[in-house]
Amino acid sequence: MKKLAAAALATIAALSLGACNTPEDRALGGAGLGALTGAAIGAAATGRAGGALAGAAIGGAGGAIVGASTAPRCPYGTYRDAYGNIYCR
């Protein structure tokens, strides 16, 4: 039951990262989702901690690349406010 609860909490935390919009946020969210998925696949495939770590590293890198490249772009450009925050026009 503890494993199921931990997996459910990890899934909820990972899914909350998937709704980010800036390229940096999307890269972070993609890295988190990729690392969790890669660790699960690596652990299932090898049955060892080393496989889970390798899967997490590969999945995290791939998720960050895909997440950053799929971020929506602003069609009319961006602007910065007085605090340095970037907004779409």
Side-chain angles (χ1 to χ4, degrees):
M1 189 66 182
K2 287 183 181 180
K3 288 183 180 181
L4 181 62
L9 287 174
T11 302
I12 291 169
L15 290 176
S16 69
L17 294 173
C20 301
N21 288 327
T22 65
E24 295 84 13
D25 291 341
R26 298 269 305 219
L28 181 63
L33 289 171
L36 285 173
T37 305
I41 293 172
T46 64
R48 298 180 185 194
L53 290 174
I58 294 168
I65 292 168
V66 171
S69 65
T70 59
R73 306 288 182 230
C74 296
Y76 303 110
T78 60
Y79 69 94
R80 289 186 185 267
D81 65 2
Y83 302 104
N85 299 320
I86 299 173
Y87 297 98
C88 286
R89 292 183 189 257

Short mmCIF file of all heavy atoms in Angstrom, two decimals:
data_model
loop_
_atom_site.label_atom_id
_atom_site.label_comp_id
_atom_site.label_asym_id
_atom_site.label_seq_id
_atom_site.Cartn_x
_atom_site.Cartn_y
_atom_site.Cartn_z
N MET A 1 0.81 -1.18 0.00
CA MET A 1 0.00 0.00 0.00
C MET A 1 0.87 1.26 0.00
O MET A 1 0.52 2.25 -0.64
CB MET A 1 -0.91 -0.04 1.23
CG MET A 1 -1.94 1.02 1.23
SD MET A 1 -3.09 0.73 -0.11
CE MET A 1 -4.15 2.10 0.06
N LYS A 2 2.01 1.21 0.70
CA LYS A 2 2.90 2.36 0.74
C LYS A 2 3.47 2.66 -0.65
O LYS A 2 3.61 3.81 -1.03
CB LYS A 2 4.04 2.13 1.73
CG LYS A 2 3.62 2.20 3.16
CD LYS A 2 4.82 2.03 4.07
CE LYS A 2 4.41 2.06 5.52
NZ LYS A 2 5.56 1.90 6.42
N LYS A 3 3.80 1.61 -1.40
CA LYS A 3 4.33 1.81 -2.75
C LYS A 3 3.28 2.43 -3.65
O LYS A 3 3.59 3.30 -4.47
CB LYS A 3 4.82 0.49 -3.33
CG LYS A 3 6.08 -0.02 -2.71
CD LYS A 3 6.54 -1.28 -3.38
CE LYS A 3 7.81 -1.81 -2.75
NZ LYS A 3 8.29 -3.02 -3.38
N LEU A 4 2.05 1.98 -3.51
CA LEU A 4 0.97 2.53 -4.33
C LEU A 4 0.73 3.99 -4.00
O LEU A 4 0.56 4.82 -4.90
CB LEU A 4 -0.31 1.72 -4.13
CG LEU A 4 -1.52 2.17 -4.94
CD1 LEU A 4 -1.24 2.04 -6.42
CD2 LEU A 4 -2.73 1.36 -4.56
N ALA A 5 0.75 4.35 -2.73
CA ALA A 5 0.56 5.74 -2.32
C ALA A 5 1.71 6.61 -2.81
O ALA A 5 1.49 7.73 -3.29
CB ALA A 5 0.43 5.84 -0.81
N ALA A 6 2.94 6.11 -2.72
CA ALA A 6 4.10 6.87 -3.20
C ALA A 6 4.03 7.06 -4.71
O ALA A 6 4.33 8.14 -5.22
CB ALA A 6 5.39 6.16 -2.81
N ALA A 7 3.62 6.02 -5.43
CA ALA A 7 3.50 6.14 -6.89
C ALA A 7 2.39 7.12 -7.26
O ALA A 7 2.54 7.91 -8.21
CB ALA A 7 3.22 4.78 -7.50
N ALA A 8 1.29 7.11 -6.52
CA ALA A 8 0.20 8.05 -6.81
C ALA A 8 0.63 9.49 -6.55
O ALA A 8 0.34 10.38 -7.35
CB ALA A 8 -1.02 7.70 -5.96
N LEU A 9 1.34 9.73 -5.46
CA LEU A 9 1.81 11.07 -5.16
C LEU A 9 2.83 11.54 -6.20
O LEU A 9 2.82 12.70 -6.61
CB LEU A 9 2.42 11.13 -3.76
CG LEU A 9 1.42 11.08 -2.61
CD1 LEU A 9 2.14 11.00 -1.28
CD2 LEU A 9 0.50 12.28 -2.65
N ALA A 10 3.72 10.65 -6.63
CA ALA A 10 4.70 11.02 -7.65
C ALA A 10 4.01 11.33 -8.97
O ALA A 10 4.40 12.27 -9.67
CB ALA A 10 5.71 9.89 -7.84
N THR A 11 2.98 10.58 -9.31
CA THR A 11 2.24 10.84 -10.54
C THR A 11 1.52 12.19 -10.48
O THR A 11 1.55 12.96 -11.44
CB THR A 11 1.22 9.71 -10.79
OG1 THR A 11 1.93 8.47 -10.86
CG2 THR A 11 0.46 9.94 -12.08
N ILE A 12 0.90 12.49 -9.37
CA ILE A 12 0.22 13.77 -9.22
C ILE A 12 1.21 14.92 -9.31
O ILE A 12 0.95 15.93 -9.97
CB ILE A 12 -0.57 13.81 -7.89
CG1 ILE A 12 -1.76 12.84 -7.98
CG2 ILE A 12 -1.05 15.21 -7.58
CD1 ILE A 12 -2.44 12.60 -6.66
N ALA A 13 2.36 14.78 -8.66
CA ALA A 13 3.37 15.83 -8.72
C ALA A 13 3.90 16.00 -10.13
O ALA A 13 4.11 17.13 -10.60
CB ALA A 13 4.52 15.50 -7.77
N ALA A 14 4.10 14.90 -10.84
CA ALA A 14 4.61 14.99 -12.21
C ALA A 14 3.59 15.61 -13.15
O ALA A 14 3.94 16.42 -14.01
CB ALA A 14 5.00 13.60 -12.71
N LEU A 15 2.34 15.26 -12.99
CA LEU A 15 1.31 15.82 -13.87
C LEU A 15 1.10 17.31 -13.62
O LEU A 15 0.72 18.05 -14.53
CB LEU A 15 -0.01 15.06 -13.70
CG LEU A 15 -0.01 13.64 -14.26
CD1 LEU A 15 -1.33 12.96 -13.94
CD2 LEU A 15 0.26 13.63 -15.74
N SER A 16 1.34 17.77 -12.41
CA SER A 16 1.19 19.19 -12.14
C SER A 16 2.26 20.00 -12.87
O SER A 16 2.07 21.18 -13.13
CB SER A 16 1.25 19.47 -10.64
OG SER A 16 2.56 19.23 -10.15
N LEU A 17 3.38 19.39 -13.20
CA LEU A 17 4.43 20.08 -13.93
C LEU A 17 4.13 20.17 -15.42
O LEU A 17 4.74 20.95 -16.13
CB LEU A 17 5.77 19.37 -13.73
CG LEU A 17 6.34 19.37 -12.33
CD1 LEU A 17 7.58 18.49 -12.28
CD2 LEU A 17 6.68 20.77 -11.90
N GLY A 18 3.21 19.37 -15.91
CA GLY A 18 2.94 19.31 -17.34
C GLY A 18 2.19 20.49 -17.90
O GLY A 18 2.10 20.65 -19.11
N ALA A 19 1.63 21.36 -17.08
CA ALA A 19 0.82 22.48 -17.57
C ALA A 19 1.60 23.78 -17.68
O ALA A 19 1.01 24.82 -17.91
CB ALA A 19 -0.38 22.67 -16.65
N CYS A 20 2.88 23.75 -17.53
CA CYS A 20 3.69 24.97 -17.59
C CYS A 20 3.77 25.48 -19.03
O CYS A 20 3.67 24.71 -19.96
CB CYS A 20 5.08 24.69 -17.04
SG CYS A 20 5.06 24.09 -15.35
N ASN A 21 3.99 26.80 -19.21
CA ASN A 21 3.91 27.37 -20.54
C ASN A 21 5.20 27.96 -21.09
O ASN A 21 5.40 27.94 -22.28
CB ASN A 21 2.82 28.44 -20.60
CG ASN A 21 1.45 27.82 -20.55
OD1 ASN A 21 1.25 26.74 -21.07
ND2 ASN A 21 0.52 28.50 -19.94
N THR A 22 6.07 28.53 -20.29
CA THR A 22 7.30 29.10 -20.83
C THR A 22 8.24 27.96 -21.21
O THR A 22 8.15 26.86 -20.66
CB THR A 22 7.98 30.03 -19.82
OG1 THR A 22 8.42 29.25 -18.71
CG2 THR A 22 7.06 31.14 -19.36
N PRO A 23 9.16 28.20 -22.15
CA PRO A 23 10.09 27.13 -22.52
C PRO A 23 10.88 26.59 -21.33
O PRO A 23 11.12 25.38 -21.25
CB PRO A 23 11.00 27.80 -23.54
CG PRO A 23 10.18 28.88 -24.14
CD PRO A 23 9.31 29.37 -23.02
N GLU A 24 11.26 27.47 -20.40
CA GLU A 24 12.02 27.01 -19.24
C GLU A 24 11.17 26.13 -18.34
O GLU A 24 11.62 25.10 -17.84
CB GLU A 24 12.56 28.20 -18.45
CG GLU A 24 13.57 29.03 -19.20
CD GLU A 24 12.92 30.07 -20.12
OE1 GLU A 24 11.70 30.31 -20.00
OE2 GLU A 24 13.64 30.62 -20.96
N ASP A 25 9.92 26.55 -18.12
CA ASP A 25 9.02 25.77 -17.29
C ASP A 25 8.67 24.45 -17.96
O ASP A 25 8.56 23.41 -17.30
CB ASP A 25 7.74 26.54 -16.98
CG ASP A 25 7.97 27.71 -16.05
OD1 ASP A 25 9.01 27.71 -15.36
OD2 ASP A 25 7.12 28.61 -16.02
N ARG A 26 8.46 24.49 -19.26
CA ARG A 26 8.15 23.26 -19.99
C ARG A 26 9.33 22.29 -19.97
O ARG A 26 9.15 21.09 -19.88
CB ARG A 26 7.76 23.57 -21.42
CG ARG A 26 6.53 24.42 -21.59
CD ARG A 26 5.28 23.64 -21.72
NE ARG A 26 5.34 22.68 -22.78
CZ ARG A 26 4.34 22.39 -23.57
NH1 ARG A 26 3.22 23.04 -23.44
NH2 ARG A 26 4.44 21.46 -24.47
N ALA A 27 10.55 22.82 -20.05
CA ALA A 27 11.74 21.97 -19.97
C ALA A 27 11.82 21.31 -18.60
O ALA A 27 12.12 20.12 -18.49
CB ALA A 27 13.00 22.77 -20.25
N LEU A 28 11.55 22.07 -17.56
CA LEU A 28 11.57 21.52 -16.20
C LEU A 28 10.49 20.46 -16.02
O LEU A 28 10.74 19.39 -15.46
CB LEU A 28 11.40 22.64 -15.18
CG LEU A 28 11.43 22.24 -13.71
CD1 LEU A 28 12.80 21.67 -13.36
CD2 LEU A 28 11.13 23.43 -12.84
N GLY A 29 9.29 20.76 -16.49
CA GLY A 29 8.21 19.78 -16.40
C GLY A 29 8.49 18.53 -17.22
O GLY A 29 8.24 17.41 -16.77
N GLY A 30 9.03 18.72 -18.42
CA GLY A 30 9.38 17.58 -19.26
C GLY A 30 10.48 16.73 -18.64
O GLY A 30 10.46 15.50 -18.72
N ALA A 31 11.44 17.39 -18.00
CA ALA A 31 12.52 16.65 -17.34
C ALA A 31 11.96 15.82 -16.18
O ALA A 31 12.35 14.67 -15.99
CB ALA A 31 13.58 17.61 -16.84
N GLY A 32 11.03 16.41 -15.42
CA GLY A 32 10.43 15.67 -14.31
C GLY A 32 9.63 14.47 -14.78
O GLY A 32 9.77 13.36 -14.25
N LEU A 33 8.79 14.70 -15.78
CA LEU A 33 7.99 13.58 -16.32
C LEU A 33 8.87 12.52 -16.96
O LEU A 33 8.65 11.32 -16.78
CB LEU A 33 6.99 14.12 -17.34
CG LEU A 33 5.83 14.93 -16.79
CD1 LEU A 33 5.06 15.58 -17.91
CD2 LEU A 33 4.93 14.06 -15.96
N GLY A 34 9.88 12.95 -17.72
CA GLY A 34 10.79 12.00 -18.36
C GLY A 34 11.60 11.21 -17.36
O GLY A 34 11.82 10.01 -17.54
N ALA A 35 12.05 11.86 -16.30
CA ALA A 35 12.84 11.17 -15.28
C ALA A 35 12.00 10.12 -14.55
O ALA A 35 12.46 9.00 -14.31
CB ALA A 35 13.43 12.16 -14.29
N LEU A 36 10.76 10.47 -14.21
CA LEU A 36 9.89 9.50 -13.54
C LEU A 36 9.59 8.31 -14.44
O LEU A 36 9.65 7.15 -14.03
CB LEU A 36 8.59 10.16 -13.10
CG LEU A 36 8.69 11.06 -11.89
CD1 LEU A 36 7.37 11.78 -11.66
CD2 LEU A 36 9.06 10.26 -10.66
N THR A 37 9.26 8.60 -15.69
CA THR A 37 8.96 7.53 -16.63
C THR A 37 10.19 6.68 -16.90
O THR A 37 10.12 5.44 -16.92
CB THR A 37 8.42 8.11 -17.94
OG1 THR A 37 7.30 8.94 -17.64
CG2 THR A 37 8.00 7.02 -18.89
N GLY A 38 11.33 7.32 -17.11
CA GLY A 38 12.56 6.59 -17.37
C GLY A 38 12.98 5.72 -16.19
O GLY A 38 13.45 4.60 -16.37
N ALA A 39 12.81 6.24 -14.98
CA ALA A 39 13.15 5.44 -13.80
C ALA A 39 12.24 4.23 -13.68
O ALA A 39 12.71 3.13 -13.35
CB ALA A 39 13.05 6.30 -12.55
N ALA A 40 10.96 4.41 -13.95
CA ALA A 40 10.03 3.28 -13.87
C ALA A 40 10.36 2.22 -14.92
O ALA A 40 10.38 1.01 -14.63
CB ALA A 40 8.60 3.77 -14.04
N ILE A 41 10.64 2.65 -16.13
CA ILE A 41 10.98 1.70 -17.20
C ILE A 41 12.32 1.03 -16.92
O ILE A 41 12.47 -0.18 -17.10
CB ILE A 41 10.97 2.40 -18.56
CG1 ILE A 41 9.54 2.82 -18.92
CG2 ILE A 41 11.56 1.51 -19.65
CD1 ILE A 41 9.45 3.70 -20.15
N GLY A 42 13.31 1.81 -16.48
CA GLY A 42 14.62 1.24 -16.18
C GLY A 42 14.57 0.23 -15.05
O GLY A 42 15.22 -0.81 -15.09
N ALA A 43 13.78 0.52 -14.02
CA ALA A 43 13.65 -0.41 -12.90
C ALA A 43 12.91 -1.67 -13.32
O ALA A 43 13.27 -2.78 -12.92
CB ALA A 43 12.93 0.26 -11.73
N ALA A 44 11.88 -1.51 -14.14
CA ALA A 44 11.12 -2.68 -14.59
C ALA A 44 11.93 -3.55 -15.54
O ALA A 44 11.83 -4.77 -15.52
CB ALA A 44 9.82 -2.23 -15.26
N ALA A 45 12.74 -2.91 -16.37
CA ALA A 45 13.51 -3.67 -17.35
C ALA A 45 14.69 -4.41 -16.73
O ALA A 45 14.99 -5.54 -17.13
CB ALA A 45 14.02 -2.73 -18.44
N THR A 46 15.37 -3.79 -15.76
CA THR A 46 16.56 -4.41 -15.20
C THR A 46 16.36 -5.00 -13.82
O THR A 46 17.07 -5.92 -13.43
CB THR A 46 17.71 -3.39 -15.12
OG1 THR A 46 17.35 -2.35 -14.21
CG2 THR A 46 18.03 -2.81 -16.48
N GLY A 47 15.44 -4.45 -13.04
CA GLY A 47 15.23 -4.91 -11.68
C GLY A 47 16.31 -4.43 -10.73
O GLY A 47 16.44 -4.94 -9.62
N ARG A 48 17.10 -3.46 -11.13
CA ARG A 48 18.19 -2.95 -10.31
C ARG A 48 18.10 -1.44 -10.17
O ARG A 48 17.51 -0.76 -10.99
CB ARG A 48 19.53 -3.30 -10.94
CG ARG A 48 19.77 -4.77 -11.07
CD ARG A 48 21.10 -5.05 -11.69
NE ARG A 48 21.24 -6.49 -11.91
CZ ARG A 48 22.37 -7.05 -12.18
NH1 ARG A 48 23.47 -6.33 -12.28
NH2 ARG A 48 22.42 -8.35 -12.36
N ALA A 49 18.74 -0.92 -9.14
CA ALA A 49 18.76 0.52 -8.93
C ALA A 49 19.55 1.24 -10.01
O ALA A 49 19.21 2.35 -10.42
CB ALA A 49 19.34 0.85 -7.55
N GLY A 50 20.59 0.61 -10.51
CA GLY A 50 21.40 1.21 -11.57
C GLY A 50 20.59 1.42 -12.84
O GLY A 50 20.74 2.43 -13.53
N GLY A 51 19.72 0.47 -13.15
CA GLY A 51 18.85 0.62 -14.32
C GLY A 51 17.86 1.75 -14.15
O GLY A 51 17.57 2.49 -15.08
N ALA A 52 17.35 1.89 -12.92
CA ALA A 52 16.42 2.99 -12.64
C ALA A 52 17.12 4.34 -12.74
O ALA A 52 16.57 5.30 -13.28
CB ALA A 52 15.80 2.82 -11.26
N LEU A 53 18.35 4.44 -12.24
CA LEU A 53 19.10 5.69 -12.33
C LEU A 53 19.44 6.05 -13.77
O LEU A 53 19.34 7.20 -14.17
CB LEU A 53 20.37 5.60 -11.48
CG LEU A 53 20.16 5.59 -9.97
CD1 LEU A 53 21.48 5.36 -9.26
CD2 LEU A 53 19.54 6.90 -9.53
N ALA A 54 19.86 5.04 -14.54
CA ALA A 54 20.17 5.30 -15.95
C ALA A 54 18.91 5.72 -16.71
O ALA A 54 18.95 6.65 -17.52
CB ALA A 54 20.78 4.06 -16.59
N GLY A 55 17.81 5.05 -16.44
CA GLY A 55 16.55 5.42 -17.09
C GLY A 55 16.10 6.81 -16.71
O GLY A 55 15.60 7.56 -17.55
N ALA A 56 16.29 7.18 -15.44
CA ALA A 56 15.92 8.53 -15.00
C ALA A 56 16.78 9.59 -15.67
O ALA A 56 16.27 10.63 -16.08
CB ALA A 56 16.05 8.64 -13.48
N ALA A 57 18.06 9.33 -15.81
CA ALA A 57 18.95 10.29 -16.46
C ALA A 57 18.61 10.46 -17.94
O ALA A 57 18.50 11.59 -18.44
CB ALA A 57 20.40 9.85 -16.31
N ILE A 58 18.41 9.36 -18.63
CA ILE A 58 18.08 9.42 -20.06
C ILE A 58 16.70 10.04 -20.25
O ILE A 58 16.50 10.90 -21.12
CB ILE A 58 18.17 8.03 -20.69
CG1 ILE A 58 19.63 7.55 -20.66
CG2 ILE A 58 17.63 8.03 -22.11
CD1 ILE A 58 19.80 6.09 -21.00
N GLY A 59 15.73 9.62 -19.46
CA GLY A 59 14.38 10.17 -19.57
C GLY A 59 14.31 11.64 -19.21
O GLY A 59 13.59 12.41 -19.85
N GLY A 60 15.06 12.05 -18.20
CA GLY A 60 15.08 13.45 -17.82
C GLY A 60 15.67 14.34 -18.90
O GLY A 60 15.14 15.41 -19.21
N ALA A 61 16.76 13.90 -19.50
CA ALA A 61 17.37 14.68 -20.59
C ALA A 61 16.45 14.76 -21.80
O ALA A 61 16.24 15.83 -22.37
CB ALA A 61 18.71 14.07 -20.97
N GLY A 62 15.88 13.63 -22.17
CA GLY A 62 14.96 13.62 -23.31
C GLY A 62 13.72 14.45 -23.04
O GLY A 62 13.25 15.19 -23.92
N GLY A 63 13.17 14.35 -21.84
CA GLY A 63 11.99 15.13 -21.49
C GLY A 63 12.25 16.62 -21.50
O GLY A 63 11.40 17.41 -21.91
N ALA A 64 13.43 17.03 -21.04
CA ALA A 64 13.77 18.46 -21.05
C ALA A 64 13.88 18.99 -22.47
O ALA A 64 13.40 20.08 -22.78
CB ALA A 64 15.08 18.69 -20.30
N ILE A 65 14.48 18.21 -23.35
CA ILE A 65 14.62 18.64 -24.75
C ILE A 65 13.26 18.75 -25.42
O ILE A 65 12.95 19.75 -26.07
CB ILE A 65 15.54 17.66 -25.51
CG1 ILE A 65 16.98 17.79 -24.98
CG2 ILE A 65 15.49 17.92 -27.01
CD1 ILE A 65 17.91 16.70 -25.45
N VAL A 66 12.43 17.73 -25.26
CA VAL A 66 11.11 17.74 -25.89
C VAL A 66 10.23 18.83 -25.27
O VAL A 66 9.52 19.54 -25.98
CB VAL A 66 10.45 16.35 -25.78
CG1 VAL A 66 9.01 16.39 -26.23
CG2 VAL A 66 11.24 15.34 -26.61
N GLY A 67 10.27 18.98 -23.96
CA GLY A 67 9.46 19.99 -23.30
C GLY A 67 9.80 21.40 -23.74
O GLY A 67 8.92 22.21 -24.01
N ALA A 68 11.08 21.71 -23.85
CA ALA A 68 11.49 23.05 -24.26
C ALA A 68 11.16 23.31 -25.72
O ALA A 68 10.79 24.42 -26.09
CB ALA A 68 12.98 23.24 -24.03
N SER A 69 11.26 22.29 -26.55
CA SER A 69 11.01 22.51 -27.98
C SER A 69 9.52 22.57 -28.32
O SER A 69 9.17 23.05 -29.39
CB SER A 69 11.68 21.41 -28.80
OG SER A 69 11.10 20.16 -28.53
N THR A 70 8.65 22.10 -27.44
CA THR A 70 7.22 22.12 -27.74
C THR A 70 6.47 23.24 -27.04
O THR A 70 5.24 23.27 -27.07
CB THR A 70 6.56 20.79 -27.36
OG1 THR A 70 6.76 20.55 -25.97
CG2 THR A 70 7.12 19.64 -28.17
N ALA A 71 7.18 24.17 -26.43
CA ALA A 71 6.52 25.29 -25.75
C ALA A 71 5.86 26.20 -26.78
O ALA A 71 6.44 26.47 -27.83
CB ALA A 71 7.53 26.08 -24.93
N PRO A 72 4.65 26.65 -26.51
CA PRO A 72 4.00 27.55 -27.46
C PRO A 72 4.72 28.89 -27.53
O PRO A 72 5.21 29.40 -26.52
CB PRO A 72 2.59 27.71 -26.90
CG PRO A 72 2.70 27.36 -25.46
CD PRO A 72 3.82 26.39 -25.34
N ARG A 73 4.80 29.42 -28.72
CA ARG A 73 5.46 30.71 -28.94
C ARG A 73 4.41 31.81 -28.99
O ARG A 73 3.26 31.59 -29.33
CB ARG A 73 6.24 30.69 -30.25
CG ARG A 73 7.23 29.56 -30.36
CD ARG A 73 8.41 29.78 -29.44
NE ARG A 73 9.38 28.70 -29.61
CZ ARG A 73 9.89 28.01 -28.61
NH1 ARG A 73 9.54 28.27 -27.40
NH2 ARG A 73 10.75 27.06 -28.84
N CYS A 74 4.82 33.01 -28.68
CA CYS A 74 3.92 34.16 -28.74
C CYS A 74 3.85 34.65 -30.18
O CYS A 74 4.87 35.02 -30.76
CB CYS A 74 4.44 35.28 -27.84
SG CYS A 74 4.45 34.83 -26.10
N PRO A 75 2.65 34.68 -30.78
CA PRO A 75 2.56 35.06 -32.19
C PRO A 75 2.88 36.52 -32.46
O PRO A 75 3.31 36.86 -33.55
CB PRO A 75 1.10 34.74 -32.54
CG PRO A 75 0.38 34.78 -31.25
CD PRO A 75 1.37 34.35 -30.20
N TYR A 76 2.70 37.40 -31.48
CA TYR A 76 2.94 38.83 -31.70
C TYR A 76 4.13 39.34 -30.91
O TYR A 76 4.26 40.53 -30.69
CB TYR A 76 1.68 39.62 -31.33
CG TYR A 76 0.48 39.18 -32.10
CD1 TYR A 76 -0.55 38.49 -31.48
CD2 TYR A 76 0.38 39.41 -33.46
CE1 TYR A 76 -1.66 38.06 -32.19
CE2 TYR A 76 -0.72 38.98 -34.19
CZ TYR A 76 -1.73 38.31 -33.54
OH TYR A 76 -2.81 37.88 -34.26
N GLY A 77 4.99 38.46 -30.45
CA GLY A 77 6.17 38.87 -29.71
C GLY A 77 5.90 38.98 -28.21
O GLY A 77 4.82 38.66 -27.72
N THR A 78 6.92 39.40 -27.50
CA THR A 78 6.83 39.49 -26.05
C THR A 78 7.22 40.89 -25.58
O THR A 78 7.78 41.68 -26.34
CB THR A 78 7.77 38.48 -25.38
OG1 THR A 78 9.11 38.76 -25.78
CG2 THR A 78 7.42 37.06 -25.75
N TYR A 79 6.93 41.18 -24.35
CA TYR A 79 7.39 42.41 -23.71
C TYR A 79 7.67 42.12 -22.25
O TYR A 79 7.19 41.15 -21.69
CB TYR A 79 6.36 43.54 -23.86
CG TYR A 79 5.09 43.33 -23.06
CD1 TYR A 79 4.97 43.88 -21.79
CD2 TYR A 79 4.03 42.61 -23.58
CE1 TYR A 79 3.81 43.68 -21.05
CE2 TYR A 79 2.87 42.42 -22.86
CZ TYR A 79 2.77 42.96 -21.59
OH TYR A 79 1.64 42.76 -20.86
N ARG A 80 8.49 42.97 -21.64
CA ARG A 80 8.84 42.84 -20.22
C ARG A 80 8.18 43.95 -19.43
O ARG A 80 8.13 45.09 -19.87
CB ARG A 80 10.35 42.94 -20.03
CG ARG A 80 11.11 41.75 -20.52
CD ARG A 80 12.59 41.89 -20.15
NE ARG A 80 13.35 40.82 -20.71
CZ ARG A 80 13.63 39.68 -20.07
NH1 ARG A 80 13.22 39.53 -18.83
NH2 ARG A 80 14.32 38.74 -20.64
N ASP A 81 7.69 43.60 -18.25
CA ASP A 81 7.13 44.64 -17.38
C ASP A 81 8.25 45.25 -16.53
O ASP A 81 9.42 44.93 -16.71
CB ASP A 81 5.99 44.08 -16.52
CG ASP A 81 6.45 43.03 -15.53
OD1 ASP A 81 7.65 42.74 -15.45
OD2 ASP A 81 5.58 42.51 -14.80
N ALA A 82 7.88 46.13 -15.62
CA ALA A 82 8.87 46.83 -14.80
C ALA A 82 9.64 45.87 -13.88
O ALA A 82 10.74 46.20 -13.43
CB ALA A 82 8.18 47.90 -13.96
N TYR A 83 9.10 44.70 -13.62
CA TYR A 83 9.73 43.73 -12.73
C TYR A 83 10.56 42.70 -13.48
O TYR A 83 11.12 41.79 -12.89
CB TYR A 83 8.68 43.03 -11.88
CG TYR A 83 7.87 44.00 -11.06
CD1 TYR A 83 6.57 44.32 -11.44
CD2 TYR A 83 8.41 44.63 -9.95
CE1 TYR A 83 5.83 45.24 -10.71
CE2 TYR A 83 7.67 45.53 -9.22
CZ TYR A 83 6.39 45.83 -9.60
OH TYR A 83 5.65 46.74 -8.88
N GLY A 84 10.59 42.78 -14.81
CA GLY A 84 11.37 41.85 -15.60
C GLY A 84 10.61 40.61 -16.05
O GLY A 84 11.19 39.73 -16.66
N ASN A 85 9.32 40.52 -15.75
CA ASN A 85 8.52 39.38 -16.18
C ASN A 85 8.20 39.49 -17.66
O ASN A 85 7.94 40.57 -18.17
CB ASN A 85 7.20 39.31 -15.39
CG ASN A 85 7.45 39.14 -13.92
OD1 ASN A 85 8.33 38.39 -13.52
ND2 ASN A 85 6.68 39.83 -13.10
N ILE A 86 8.21 38.37 -18.37
CA ILE A 86 7.98 38.36 -19.80
C ILE A 86 6.53 37.96 -20.05
O ILE A 86 6.05 36.97 -19.49
CB ILE A 86 8.93 37.38 -20.50
CG1 ILE A 86 10.39 37.82 -20.26
CG2 ILE A 86 8.64 37.31 -21.99
CD1 ILE A 86 11.42 36.85 -20.76
N TYR A 87 5.86 38.70 -20.92
CA TYR A 87 4.46 38.45 -21.27
C TYR A 87 4.30 38.41 -22.79
O TYR A 87 5.02 39.08 -23.51
CB TYR A 87 3.54 39.53 -20.71
CG TYR A 87 3.52 39.59 -19.20
CD1 TYR A 87 4.29 40.51 -18.52
CD2 TYR A 87 2.72 38.71 -18.48
CE1 TYR A 87 4.27 40.57 -17.14
CE2 TYR A 87 2.69 38.76 -17.10
CZ TYR A 87 3.47 39.69 -16.44
OH TYR A 87 3.45 39.73 -15.08
N CYS A 88 3.30 37.67 -23.24
CA CYS A 88 2.94 37.67 -24.66
C CYS A 88 2.11 38.91 -24.96
O CYS A 88 1.37 39.38 -24.13
CB CYS A 88 2.12 36.43 -25.02
SG CYS A 88 3.08 34.94 -25.08
N ARG A 89 2.24 39.41 -26.18
CA ARG A 89 1.41 40.55 -26.61
C ARG A 89 0.08 40.05 -27.10
O ARG A 89 -0.12 39.02 -27.56
CB ARG A 89 2.10 41.31 -27.73
CG ARG A 89 3.35 42.00 -27.25
CD ARG A 89 3.94 42.80 -28.39
NE ARG A 89 5.24 43.26 -27.96
CZ ARG A 89 5.48 44.49 -27.57
NH1 ARG A 89 4.55 45.38 -27.57
NH2 ARG A 89 6.68 44.83 -27.19
#
